[in-house]
Structure formats: structure tokens, C-alpha cells
Amino acid sequence: MVLDDCITSMKNPLIKRIRSLNIKKYRDQYNRFIIEGTKIVDEFIDSGASIDQVLYSDKVFSMSYGDQLIEKLEDNKIENIKVDDNILKQLCNTKTPQGILAVVKKIEYQLCDVIDKAELLIIIDGVQDPGNLGTIIRTADAVNVDGIIVSQDTVDVYNDKTIRSTMGSILRVPVVKCSNLGGCIQKLRGDNFFICAADVNATSYYFDIIYPDKTALLIGNESRGIDDGVLAVSDKSVKIPMPGGSESLNVSIATAVILYEVLRQRISVSLE
């Protein structure tokens, strides 16, 4: 429903609660996260995601599709609340907010949800930059990865920068947090997954091996790489050739390079 009153105080209980969602502790406590911007709010509505409420300011009406988006909230019976533009700016993390944000219930998956019928997975060990994680999720969506498994010390999937970097792909790629990554990998191996680790110290190049139907690509932290104990339970390590002066690639770029080789091989097989 539309509320005629416009919220103008940061002391409003709802505003205080929503603001707290910028901190991981409270995202976990309330099992909620924030999305902002017309395009992603629209995508979440269309996906049928569980949206608690949408906050908007007059700024949204100057955005393309702003009027229709507010009408769409009404049509879908999603609570929408008008707030002062200055309030919305303080709740948003983007430099130029588009006048709309939504509070969404977390989308949670279990390992069994992801590996059932899966053929291509990504395993992430300790990636710390939210932009990197979001870009990996977006690339996974493009390549049609079936799911992503993240270690306990990987940056929060529901960090606002992660969500923005996915460009909506978070809706289509299941992400599972795993408290015991080594144990999760052993379970995947028990399900006949080939665990391929991206490691700068590997002896094989990523294009020198054949990726079987059930493959999980293991990638590590931006600076330390993959934990030695986790690396030990992988089946094969591969590296990307770098004949130039750089010693390493950005982790999201390296992930994309290897994923597209997996995809190339699968397209080639399908054309035979």
C-alpha cells in the first residue's frame, strides 16, 4: 500500500532498522538485505523474490521507468513508502542514488540444492573484495554455472557492493556458504565432480586439460590463493600463462578465462 505520509526523520524505527542492514551483523540477524536502483528492484519484483518493503523518494520519478515501477509495486501489492530524498541518500551506498531501494529476504540454498543435477560449479575460498565476488557471480550467470559454493571467510554475498556488481545475476545463480570447505569438496568428489584448482604454481595450463561433464572450478583469495589444505583435496591444478610482466590476474578475470575454456569445450562437443 502507499502511505501518504513522507518519512523525514532518520530516527524513524523503520529507517533505523533498514540503515542497520548496511552492516553484516544485522543482515544476518534480520535475514534481510538491501537492493537499490530502478533496474535491480524491477528484476527482483519480476523474480518473485520476497520483498518486505520499498522506499522511494521524488527522485525516482525523474528516472526512466520510475512512474511505472511505483505502479508495478502497487500491482504486486508490495508495501511502498515515500521518504525524504535526503533520508534515502543516507540509506544508499551509491554516489548517485536513483531514488528507490528495497528490503529483501535473503535467498538461501543448501549444498544439496546446488549439486543436484549440477554439471558446472565454482568453489570460492576466501575471496575478500565484494566487487570481485559480484563479478564472478555475474560471469557464472553468463556461462550458465549451476551454483557457487563459498567458504566461511569469503566476503558476504549480501554486501551491497557484491549485490550491485552481480547486476541481477544473484537471482539466477544459487550461492551456498560452506563452513567446512574441505568437507564440501570431498562430498563433491563423492558425487563424481572433477575439482580443478586455479593455482599460479600449477604445472599445467588451463587449456591443456579436458574438463569432464561434472566439473567444479576452485579459486582462492586475491593475495594468498587457495588454502593448502583445500588445495590438497583438488584433483588437478591449472594456471593461466602470463608471458608479460604481471605476476597474476584479478581473481574475477582469471575465473572468467578458465570458465570460458570450459564453455568452449562443451560447445565444441555439442557441435560434433
Side-chain angles (χ1 to χ4, degrees):
M1 75 183 160
V2 173
L3 302 183
D4 293 331
D5 294 336
C6 177
I7 297 177
T8 58
S9 173
M10 288 298 294
K11 295 181 179 179
N12 179 285
L14 176 63
I15 298 301
K16 291 171 70 175
R17 175 171 170 165
I18 292 175
R19 192 178 194 183
S20 75
L21 297 177
N22 285 310
I23 302 171
K24 182 180 184 300
K25 170 185 173 182
Y26 295 105
R27 290 196 293 271
D28 291 343
Q29 178 179 324
Y30 296 124
N31 200 35
R32 299 292 189 275
F33 66 103
I34 295 172
I35 58 172
E36 52 176 288
T38 54
K39 184 177 186 298
I40 193 166
V41 169
D42 189 36
E43 281 193 80
F44 269 72
I45 293 170
D46 288 343
S47 76
S50 180
I51 300 174
D52 286 353
Q53 61 266 138
V54 172
L55 271 58
Y56 70 95
S57 70
D58 285 331
K59 174 68 179 294
V60 74
F61 298 113
S62 67
M63 305 301 297
S64 174
Y65 189 62
D67 290 309
Q68 297 96 315
L69 185 55
I70 299 303
E71 291 178 7
K72 194 171 189 177
L73 294 170
E74 281 290 288
D75 293 341
N76 285 272
K77 297 180 172 56
I78 297 171
E79 181 182 25
N80 51 95
I81 303 167
K82 186 176 182 181
V83 301
D84 182 82
D85 191 55
N86 186 53
I87 298 292
L88 200 70
K89 286 180 180 177
Q90 293 185 66
L91 294 176
C92 291
N93 288 290
T94 51
K95 290 183 179 179
T96 54
Q98 296 180 349
I100 192 165
L101 67 77
V103 177
V104 185
K105 184 177 180 180
K106 284 186 180 181
I107 309 163
E108 297 185 324
Y109 298 92
Q110 301 300 316
L111 185 61
C112 59
D113 299 325
V114 169
I115 64 175
D116 184 35
K117 298 181 181 179
E119 293 186 345
L120 181 58
L121 300 172
I122 300 173
I123 306 168
I124 298 177
D125 179 24
V127 166
Q128 293 299 296
D129 183 87
N132 283 338
L133 179 59
T135 302
I136 290 169
I137 293 171
R138 185 179 177 187
T139 304
D141 185 21
V143 177
N144 202 26
V145 168
D146 297 301
I148 298 175
I149 300 165
V150 300
S151 65
Q152 198 73 28
D153 61 342
T154 294
V155 66
D156 185 19
V157 173
Y158 296 102
N159 177 292
D160 67 283
K161 187 176 180 181
T162 303
I163 294 295
R164 289 200 307 274
S165 297
T166 71
M167 298 292 287
S169 293
I170 189 67
L171 290 165
R172 295 177 288 275
V173 182
V175 181
V176 178
K177 180 176 286 188
C178 182
S179 58
N180 178 0
L181 199 59
C184 289
I185 291 174
Q186 293 288 21
K187 180 170 177 54
L188 290 176
R189 294 184 71 182
D191 278 6
N192 297 315
F193 270 89
F194 172 71
I195 312 299
C196 180
D199 180 21
V200 293
N201 297 313
T203 56
S204 298
Y205 290 125
Y206 74 98
F207 47 70
D208 284 335
I209 69 169
I210 302 298
Y211 299 92
D213 289 342
K214 299 178 77 169
T215 291
L217 174 61
L218 172 61
I219 61 173
N221 175 271
E222 291 90 340
S223 58
R224 65 168 170 79
I226 301 168
D227 179 84
D228 288 342
V230 174
L231 186 60
V233 295
S234 64
D235 295 302
K236 183 72 175 179
S237 294
V238 297
K239 64 181 178 181
I240 298 170
M242 287 177 285
S246 178
E247 294 181 354
S248 64
L249 292 175
N250 173 280
V251 66
S252 61
I253 292 175
T255 302
V257 168
I258 300 173
L259 283 178
Y260 271 94
E261 171 60 17
V262 178
L263 180 62
R264 184 197 66 79
Q265 290 186 15
R266 294 184 177 190
I267 291 174
S268 296
V269 170
S270 68
L271 293 177
E272 291 177 355

mmCIF file of all heavy atoms in Angstrom, residues 101-142:
data_model
loop_
_atom_site.group_PDB
_atom_site.id
_atom_site.type_symbol
_atom_site.label_atom_id
_atom_site.label_comp_id
_atom_site.label_asym_id
_atom_site.label_seq_id
_atom_site.Cartn_x
_atom_site.Cartn_y
_atom_site.Cartn_z
ATOM 1 N N LEU A 101 14.934 2.031 -3.064
ATOM 2 C CA LEU A 101 15.624 0.856 -2.527
ATOM 3 C C LEU A 101 14.572 -0.117 -2.002
ATOM 4 O O LEU A 101 13.433 0.267 -1.740
ATOM 5 C CB LEU A 101 16.626 1.236 -1.436
ATOM 6 C CG LEU A 101 16.159 1.798 -0.093
ATOM 7 C CD1 LEU A 101 15.606 0.736 0.845
ATOM 8 C CD2 LEU A 101 17.327 2.504 0.600
ATOM 9 N N ALA A 102 14.971 -1.365 -1.856
ATOM 10 C CA ALA A 102 14.055 -2.387 -1.351
ATOM 11 C C ALA A 102 14.740 -3.224 -0.292
ATOM 12 O O ALA A 102 15.951 -3.441 -0.340
ATOM 13 C CB ALA A 102 13.573 -3.288 -2.494
ATOM 14 N N VAL A 103 13.956 -3.682 0.670
ATOM 15 C CA VAL A 103 14.434 -4.609 1.693
ATOM 16 C C VAL A 103 13.950 -5.999 1.304
ATOM 17 O O VAL A 103 12.742 -6.213 1.129
ATOM 18 C CB VAL A 103 13.901 -4.224 3.088
ATOM 19 C CG1 VAL A 103 14.358 -5.242 4.127
ATOM 20 C CG2 VAL A 103 14.370 -2.829 3.464
ATOM 21 N N VAL A 104 14.896 -6.929 1.149
ATOM 22 C CA VAL A 104 14.589 -8.247 0.587
ATOM 23 C C VAL A 104 15.032 -9.346 1.545
ATOM 24 O O VAL A 104 16.092 -9.243 2.178
ATOM 25 C CB VAL A 104 15.302 -8.437 -0.772
ATOM 26 C CG1 VAL A 104 14.881 -9.751 -1.429
ATOM 27 C CG2 VAL A 104 15.028 -7.256 -1.697
ATOM 28 N N LYS A 105 14.237 -10.384 1.632
ATOM 29 C CA LYS A 105 14.625 -11.551 2.428
ATOM 30 C C LYS A 105 15.751 -12.284 1.700
ATOM 31 O O LYS A 105 15.726 -12.429 0.480
ATOM 32 C CB LYS A 105 13.432 -12.483 2.616
ATOM 33 C CG LYS A 105 13.722 -13.676 3.525
ATOM 34 C CD LYS A 105 12.469 -14.536 3.725
ATOM 35 C CE LYS A 105 12.774 -15.717 4.638
ATOM 36 N NZ LYS A 105 11.580 -16.572 4.846
ATOM 37 N N LYS A 106 16.743 -12.736 2.455
ATOM 38 C CA LYS A 106 17.866 -13.461 1.854
ATOM 39 C C LYS A 106 17.382 -14.704 1.096
ATOM 40 O O LYS A 106 16.420 -15.354 1.499
ATOM 41 C CB LYS A 106 18.862 -13.900 2.930
ATOM 42 C CG LYS A 106 19.744 -12.799 3.467
ATOM 43 C CD LYS A 106 20.777 -13.394 4.416
ATOM 44 C CE LYS A 106 21.692 -12.353 4.998
ATOM 45 N NZ LYS A 106 22.696 -12.955 5.902
ATOM 46 N N ILE A 107 18.095 -14.989 0.018
ATOM 47 C CA ILE A 107 17.804 -16.175 -0.783
ATOM 48 C C ILE A 107 18.802 -17.238 -0.340
ATOM 49 O O ILE A 107 19.996 -17.127 -0.619
ATOM 50 C CB ILE A 107 17.968 -15.875 -2.285
ATOM 51 C CG1 ILE A 107 17.183 -14.609 -2.657
ATOM 52 C CG2 ILE A 107 17.523 -17.058 -3.123
ATOM 53 C CD1 ILE A 107 17.591 -13.990 -3.972
ATOM 54 N N GLU A 108 18.341 -18.255 0.367
ATOM 55 C CA GLU A 108 19.251 -19.225 0.967
ATOM 56 C C GLU A 108 19.143 -20.593 0.299
ATOM 57 O O GLU A 108 18.049 -21.054 -0.007
ATOM 58 C CB GLU A 108 18.987 -19.339 2.472
ATOM 59 C CG GLU A 108 19.247 -18.016 3.210
ATOM 60 C CD GLU A 108 19.110 -18.150 4.707
ATOM 61 O OE1 GLU A 108 18.234 -18.915 5.158
ATOM 62 O OE2 GLU A 108 19.889 -17.494 5.433
ATOM 63 N N TYR A 109 20.290 -21.225 0.092
ATOM 64 C CA TYR A 109 20.367 -22.547 -0.519
ATOM 65 C C TYR A 109 21.220 -23.465 0.349
ATOM 66 O O TYR A 109 22.121 -23.012 1.053
ATOM 67 C CB TYR A 109 20.989 -22.472 -1.916
ATOM 68 C CG TYR A 109 20.212 -21.643 -2.911
ATOM 69 C CD1 TYR A 109 20.492 -20.284 -3.071
ATOM 70 C CD2 TYR A 109 19.214 -22.209 -3.680
ATOM 71 C CE1 TYR A 109 19.788 -19.519 -3.996
ATOM 72 C CE2 TYR A 109 18.507 -21.444 -4.607
ATOM 73 C CZ TYR A 109 18.794 -20.103 -4.750
ATOM 74 O OH TYR A 109 18.093 -19.347 -5.661
ATOM 75 N N GLN A 110 20.936 -24.744 0.266
ATOM 76 C CA GLN A 110 21.760 -25.764 0.898
ATOM 77 C C GLN A 110 22.610 -26.439 -0.180
ATOM 78 O O GLN A 110 22.290 -26.373 -1.377
ATOM 79 C CB GLN A 110 20.876 -26.807 1.603
ATOM 80 C CG GLN A 110 19.962 -26.222 2.668
ATOM 81 C CD GLN A 110 20.715 -25.522 3.776
ATOM 82 O OE1 GLN A 110 21.731 -26.033 4.278
ATOM 83 N NE2 GLN A 110 20.230 -24.358 4.174
ATOM 84 N N LEU A 111 23.677 -27.107 0.242
ATOM 85 C CA LEU A 111 24.572 -27.764 -0.711
ATOM 86 C C LEU A 111 23.821 -28.755 -1.594
ATOM 87 O O LEU A 111 24.057 -28.824 -2.803
ATOM 88 C CB LEU A 111 25.709 -28.472 0.033
ATOM 89 C CG LEU A 111 26.793 -29.112 -0.842
ATOM 90 C CD1 LEU A 111 27.489 -28.054 -1.684
ATOM 91 C CD2 LEU A 111 27.810 -29.859 0.025
ATOM 92 N N CYS A 112 22.899 -29.492 -0.998
ATOM 93 C CA CYS A 112 22.143 -30.487 -1.780
ATOM 94 C C CYS A 112 21.292 -29.822 -2.865
ATOM 95 O O CYS A 112 21.046 -30.407 -3.918
ATOM 96 C CB CYS A 112 21.281 -31.342 -0.858
ATOM 97 S SG CYS A 112 20.088 -30.413 0.128
ATOM 98 N N ASP A 113 20.855 -28.572 -2.603
ATOM 99 C CA ASP A 113 20.068 -27.854 -3.612
ATOM 100 C C ASP A 113 20.910 -27.536 -4.837
ATOM 101 O O ASP A 113 20.404 -27.499 -5.960
ATOM 102 C CB ASP A 113 19.535 -26.527 -3.040
ATOM 103 C CG ASP A 113 18.625 -26.714 -1.840
ATOM 104 O OD1 ASP A 113 17.889 -27.711 -1.809
ATOM 105 O OD2 ASP A 113 18.662 -25.858 -0.931
ATOM 106 N N VAL A 114 22.197 -27.288 -4.604
ATOM 107 C CA VAL A 114 23.078 -26.843 -5.675
ATOM 108 C C VAL A 114 23.651 -28.001 -6.488
ATOM 109 O O VAL A 114 23.720 -27.940 -7.719
ATOM 110 C CB VAL A 114 24.227 -25.986 -5.093
ATOM 111 C CG1 VAL A 114 25.301 -25.726 -6.141
ATOM 112 C CG2 VAL A 114 23.670 -24.669 -4.573
ATOM 113 N N ILE A 115 24.068 -29.084 -5.811
ATOM 114 C CA ILE A 115 24.765 -30.159 -6.543
ATOM 115 C C ILE A 115 23.818 -31.120 -7.250
ATOM 116 O O ILE A 115 24.238 -31.855 -8.138
ATOM 117 C CB ILE A 115 25.713 -30.950 -5.619
ATOM 118 C CG1 ILE A 115 24.932 -31.687 -4.522
ATOM 119 C CG2 ILE A 115 26.754 -30.031 -5.009
ATOM 120 C CD1 ILE A 115 25.829 -32.572 -3.665
ATOM 121 N N ASP A 116 22.551 -31.101 -6.890
ATOM 122 C CA ASP A 116 21.599 -31.994 -7.540
ATOM 123 C C ASP A 116 21.461 -31.615 -9.018
ATOM 124 O O ASP A 116 21.055 -30.514 -9.360
ATOM 125 C CB ASP A 116 20.235 -31.897 -6.843
ATOM 126 C CG ASP A 116 19.225 -32.865 -7.414
ATOM 127 O OD1 ASP A 116 19.623 -33.981 -7.812
ATOM 128 O OD2 ASP A 116 18.023 -32.516 -7.459
ATOM 129 N N LYS A 117 21.844 -32.494 -9.887
ATOM 130 C CA LYS A 117 21.787 -32.321 -11.344
ATOM 131 C C LYS A 117 22.775 -31.273 -11.882
ATOM 132 O O LYS A 117 22.728 -30.910 -13.055
ATOM 133 C CB LYS A 117 20.364 -31.970 -11.799
ATOM 134 C CG LYS A 117 19.335 -33.056 -11.502
ATOM 135 C CD LYS A 117 17.963 -32.657 -11.994
ATOM 136 C CE LYS A 117 16.932 -33.739 -11.682
ATOM 137 N NZ LYS A 117 15.582 -33.375 -12.133
ATOM 138 N N ALA A 118 23.669 -30.787 -11.028
ATOM 139 C CA ALA A 118 24.644 -29.779 -11.470
ATOM 140 C C ALA A 118 25.739 -30.412 -12.316
ATOM 141 O O ALA A 118 26.108 -31.568 -12.119
ATOM 142 C CB ALA A 118 25.263 -29.082 -10.264
ATOM 143 N N GLU A 119 26.263 -29.633 -13.258
ATOM 144 C CA GLU A 119 27.377 -30.085 -14.100
ATOM 145 C C GLU A 119 28.573 -29.139 -14.031
ATOM 146 O O GLU A 119 29.686 -29.542 -14.332
ATOM 147 C CB GLU A 119 26.913 -30.233 -15.551
ATOM 148 C CG GLU A 119 25.897 -31.350 -15.739
ATOM 149 C CD GLU A 119 25.557 -31.580 -17.197
ATOM 150 O OE1 GLU A 119 25.882 -30.691 -18.032
ATOM 151 O OE2 GLU A 119 24.979 -32.619 -17.523
ATOM 152 N N LEU A 120 28.340 -27.901 -13.644
ATOM 153 C CA LEU A 120 29.432 -26.940 -13.547
ATOM 154 C C LEU A 120 29.224 -26.065 -12.316
ATOM 155 O O LEU A 120 28.193 -25.401 -12.178
ATOM 156 C CB LEU A 120 29.504 -26.072 -14.808
ATOM 157 C CG LEU A 120 30.626 -25.024 -14.860
ATOM 158 C CD1 LEU A 120 32.002 -25.680 -14.701
ATOM 159 C CD2 LEU A 120 30.557 -24.234 -16.166
ATOM 160 N N LEU A 121 30.223 -26.083 -11.425
ATOM 161 C CA LEU A 121 30.162 -25.321 -10.181
ATOM 162 C C LEU A 121 31.426 -24.489 -10.016
ATOM 163 O O LEU A 121 32.458 -24.770 -10.623
ATOM 164 C CB LEU A 121 30.025 -26.257 -8.974
ATOM 165 C CG LEU A 121 28.792 -27.168 -8.917
ATOM 166 C CD1 LEU A 121 28.927 -28.153 -7.763
ATOM 167 C CD2 LEU A 121 27.520 -26.331 -8.753
ATOM 168 N N ILE A 122 31.334 -23.469 -9.167
ATOM 169 C CA ILE A 122 32.501 -22.703 -8.739
ATOM 170 C C ILE A 122 32.612 -22.850 -7.229
ATOM 171 O O ILE A 122 31.609 -22.769 -6.511
ATOM 172 C CB ILE A 122 32.378 -21.217 -9.107
ATOM 173 C CG1 ILE A 122 32.231 -21.025 -10.611
ATOM 174 C CG2 ILE A 122 33.599 -20.440 -8.601
ATOM 175 C CD1 ILE A 122 31.933 -19.587 -11.009
ATOM 176 N N ILE A 123 33.832 -23.065 -6.748
ATOM 177 C CA ILE A 123 34.105 -23.106 -5.313
ATOM 178 C C ILE A 123 35.027 -21.936 -4.996
ATOM 179 O O ILE A 123 36.093 -21.792 -5.614
ATOM 180 C CB ILE A 123 34.784 -24.422 -4.897
ATOM 181 C CG1 ILE A 123 33.962 -25.621 -5.376
ATOM 182 C CG2 ILE A 123 34.976 -24.481 -3.389
ATOM 183 C CD1 ILE A 123 34.710 -26.948 -5.272
ATOM 184 N N ILE A 124 34.643 -21.096 -4.048
ATOM 185 C CA ILE A 124 35.411 -19.892 -3.732
ATOM 186 C C ILE A 124 35.984 -19.990 -2.329
ATOM 187 O O ILE A 124 35.250 -20.134 -1.344
ATOM 188 C CB ILE A 124 34.527 -18.637 -3.862
ATOM 189 C CG1 ILE A 124 34.040 -18.484 -5.308
ATOM 190 C CG2 ILE A 124 35.281 -17.396 -3.411
ATOM 191 C CD1 ILE A 124 33.103 -17.318 -5.527
ATOM 192 N N ASP A 125 37.299 -19.893 -2.252
ATOM 193 C CA ASP A 125 37.994 -19.987 -0.970
ATOM 194 C C ASP A 125 38.571 -18.628 -0.576
ATOM 195 O O ASP A 125 39.669 -18.256 -0.971
ATOM 196 C CB ASP A 125 39.124 -21.026 -1.062
ATOM 197 C CG ASP A 125 39.905 -21.143 0.246
ATOM 198 O OD1 ASP A 125 39.344 -20.816 1.311
ATOM 199 O OD2 ASP A 125 41.073 -21.567 0.194
ATOM 200 N N GLY A 126 37.783 -17.854 0.175
ATOM 201 C CA GLY A 126 38.305 -16.650 0.801
ATOM 202 C C GLY A 126 38.442 -15.407 -0.044
ATOM 203 O O GLY A 126 39.228 -14.516 0.306
ATOM 204 N N VAL A 127 37.700 -15.268 -1.129
ATOM 205 C CA VAL A 127 37.718 -14.008 -1.883
ATOM 206 C C VAL A 127 37.192 -12.896 -0.987
ATOM 207 O O VAL A 127 36.139 -13.041 -0.365
ATOM 208 C CB VAL A 127 36.879 -14.128 -3.177
ATOM 209 C CG1 VAL A 127 36.605 -12.754 -3.783
ATOM 210 C CG2 VAL A 127 37.604 -15.004 -4.194
ATOM 211 N N GLN A 128 37.908 -11.779 -0.918
ATOM 212 C CA GLN A 128 37.585 -10.724 0.041
ATOM 213 C C GLN A 128 36.955 -9.478 -0.571
ATOM 214 O O GLN A 128 36.239 -8.750 0.127
ATOM 215 C CB GLN A 128 38.858 -10.309 0.795
ATOM 216 C CG GLN A 128 39.402 -11.382 1.708
ATOM 217 C CD GLN A 128 38.410 -11.758 2.798
ATOM 218 O OE1 GLN A 128 38.062 -10.947 3.641
ATOM 219 N NE2 GLN A 128 37.933 -12.999 2.760
ATOM 220 N N ASP A 129 37.207 -9.216 -1.805
ATOM 221 C CA ASP A 129 36.676 -7.997 -2.411
ATOM 222 C C ASP A 129 35.244 -8.230 -2.908
ATOM 223 O O ASP A 129 35.018 -9.130 -3.722
ATOM 224 C CB ASP A 129 37.564 -7.560 -3.573
ATOM 225 C CG ASP A 129 37.091 -6.249 -4.175
ATOM 226 O OD1 ASP A 129 37.499 -5.190 -3.669
ATOM 227 O OD2 ASP A 129 36.291 -6.286 -5.132
ATOM 228 N N PRO A 130 34.287 -7.436 -2.432
ATOM 229 C CA PRO A 130 32.890 -7.662 -2.842
ATOM 230 C C PRO A 130 32.660 -7.478 -4.332
ATOM 231 O O PRO A 130 31.831 -8.157 -4.932
ATOM 232 C CB PRO A 130 32.098 -6.633 -2.017
ATOM 233 C CG PRO A 130 33.104 -5.620 -1.592
ATOM 234 C CD PRO A 130 34.398 -6.346 -1.449
ATOM 235 N N GLY A 131 33.420 -6.549 -4.942
ATOM 236 C CA GLY A 131 33.293 -6.370 -6.384
ATOM 237 C C GLY A 131 33.755 -7.595 -7.149
ATOM 238 O O GLY A 131 33.149 -7.980 -8.155
ATOM 239 N N ASN A 132 34.825 -8.222 -6.679
ATOM 240 C CA ASN A 132 35.300 -9.446 -7.314
ATOM 241 C C ASN A 132 34.258 -10.552 -7.209
ATOM 242 O O ASN A 132 33.979 -11.259 -8.190
ATOM 243 C CB ASN A 132 36.603 -9.917 -6.667
ATOM 244 C CG ASN A 132 37.813 -9.119 -7.110
ATOM 245 O OD1 ASN A 132 37.798 -8.486 -8.166
ATOM 246 N ND2 ASN A 132 38.866 -9.125 -6.310
ATOM 247 N N LEU A 133 33.694 -10.724 -6.018
ATOM 248 C CA LEU A 133 32.691 -11.773 -5.844
ATOM 249 C C LEU A 133 31.477 -11.521 -6.726
ATOM 250 O O LEU A 133 30.969 -12.435 -7.388
ATOM 251 C CB LEU A 133 32.270 -11.872 -4.376
ATOM 252 C CG LEU A 133 31.203 -12.934 -4.071
ATOM 253 C CD1 LEU A 133 31.671 -14.329 -4.470
ATOM 254 C CD2 LEU A 133 30.824 -12.905 -2.586
ATOM 255 N N GLY A 134 31.024 -10.270 -6.755
ATOM 256 C CA GLY A 134 29.866 -9.947 -7.585
ATOM 257 C C GLY A 134 30.119 -10.187 -9.059
ATOM 258 O O GLY A 134 29.257 -10.698 -9.784
ATOM 259 N N THR A 135 31.330 -9.850 -9.515
ATOM 260 C CA THR A 135 31.678 -10.064 -10.917
ATOM 261 C C THR A 135 31.763 -11.554 -11.240
ATOM 262 O O THR A 135 31.359 -11.990 -12.327
ATOM 263 C CB THR A 135 33.013 -9.374 -11.245
ATOM 264 O OG1 THR A 135 32.899 -7.976 -10.949
ATOM 265 C CG2 THR A 135 33.380 -9.552 -12.708
ATOM 266 N N ILE A 136 32.281 -12.338 -10.312
ATOM 267 C CA ILE A 136 32.320 -13.795 -10.517
ATOM 268 C C ILE A 136 30.909 -14.349 -10.652
ATOM 269 O O ILE A 136 30.628 -15.193 -11.521
ATOM 270 C CB ILE A 136 33.074 -14.482 -9.358
ATOM 271 C CG1 ILE A 136 34.569 -14.150 -9.434
ATOM 272 C CG2 ILE A 136 32.869 -16.003 -9.394
ATOM 273 C CD1 ILE A 136 35.356 -14.554 -8.199
ATOM 274 N N ILE A 137 29.988 -13.881 -9.801
ATOM 275 C CA ILE A 137 28.596 -14.340 -9.873
ATOM 276 C C ILE A 137 27.982 -13.946 -11.220
ATOM 277 O O ILE A 137 27.276 -14.737 -11.860
ATOM 278 C CB ILE A 137 27.774 -13.766 -8.706
ATOM 279 C CG1 ILE A 137 28.269 -14.350 -7.371
ATOM 280 C CG2 ILE A 137 26.281 -14.072 -8.892
ATOM 281 C CD1 ILE A 137 27.674 -13.690 -6.142
ATOM 282 N N ARG A 138 28.269 -12.746 -11.667
ATOM 283 C CA ARG A 138 27.745 -12.281 -12.957
ATOM 284 C C ARG A 138 28.301 -13.115 -14.114
ATOM 285 O O ARG A 138 27.575 -13.500 -15.037
ATOM 286 C CB ARG A 138 28.102 -10.806 -13.145
ATOM 287 C CG ARG A 138 27.517 -10.174 -14.383
ATOM 288 C CD ARG A 138 27.906 -8.708 -14.446
ATOM 289 N NE ARG A 138 27.417 -8.073 -15.660
ATOM 290 C CZ ARG A 138 27.720 -6.836 -16.032
ATOM 291 N NH1 ARG A 138 28.506 -6.096 -15.258
ATOM 292 N NH2 ARG A 138 27.247 -6.329 -17.156
ATOM 293 N N THR A 139 29.600 -13.409 -14.061
ATOM 294 C CA THR A 139 30.212 -14.254 -15.092
ATOM 295 C C THR A 139 29.645 -15.660 -15.051
ATOM 296 O O THR A 139 29.386 -16.272 -16.097
ATOM 297 C CB THR A 139 31.742 -14.298 -14.899
ATOM 298 O OG1 THR A 139 32.268 -12.968 -14.909
ATOM 299 C CG2 THR A 139 32.410 -15.119 -15.986
ATOM 300 N N ALA A 140 29.437 -16.177 -13.844
ATOM 301 C CA ALA A 140 28.854 -17.511 -13.695
ATOM 302 C C ALA A 140 27.478 -17.580 -14.353
ATOM 303 O O ALA A 140 27.128 -18.577 -14.996
ATOM 304 C CB ALA A 140 28.760 -17.867 -12.213
ATOM 305 N N ASP A 141 26.715 -16.525 -14.203
ATOM 306 C CA ASP A 141 25.397 -16.453 -14.833
ATOM 307 C C ASP A 141 25.527 -16.490 -16.349
ATOM 308 O O ASP A 141 24.785 -17.202 -17.040
ATOM 309 C CB ASP A 141 24.708 -15.167 -14.368
ATOM 310 C CG ASP A 141 23.280 -15.030 -14.862
ATOM 311 O OD1 ASP A 141 22.659 -16.061 -15.224
ATOM 312 O OD2 ASP A 141 22.772 -13.891 -14.881
ATOM 313 N N ALA A 142 26.499 -15.752 -16.886
ATOM 314 C CA ALA A 142 26.698 -15.705 -18.337
ATOM 315 C C ALA A 142 27.090 -17.061 -18.901
ATOM 316 O O ALA A 142 26.674 -17.446 -20.003
ATOM 317 C CB ALA A 142 27.767 -14.667 -18.676
#
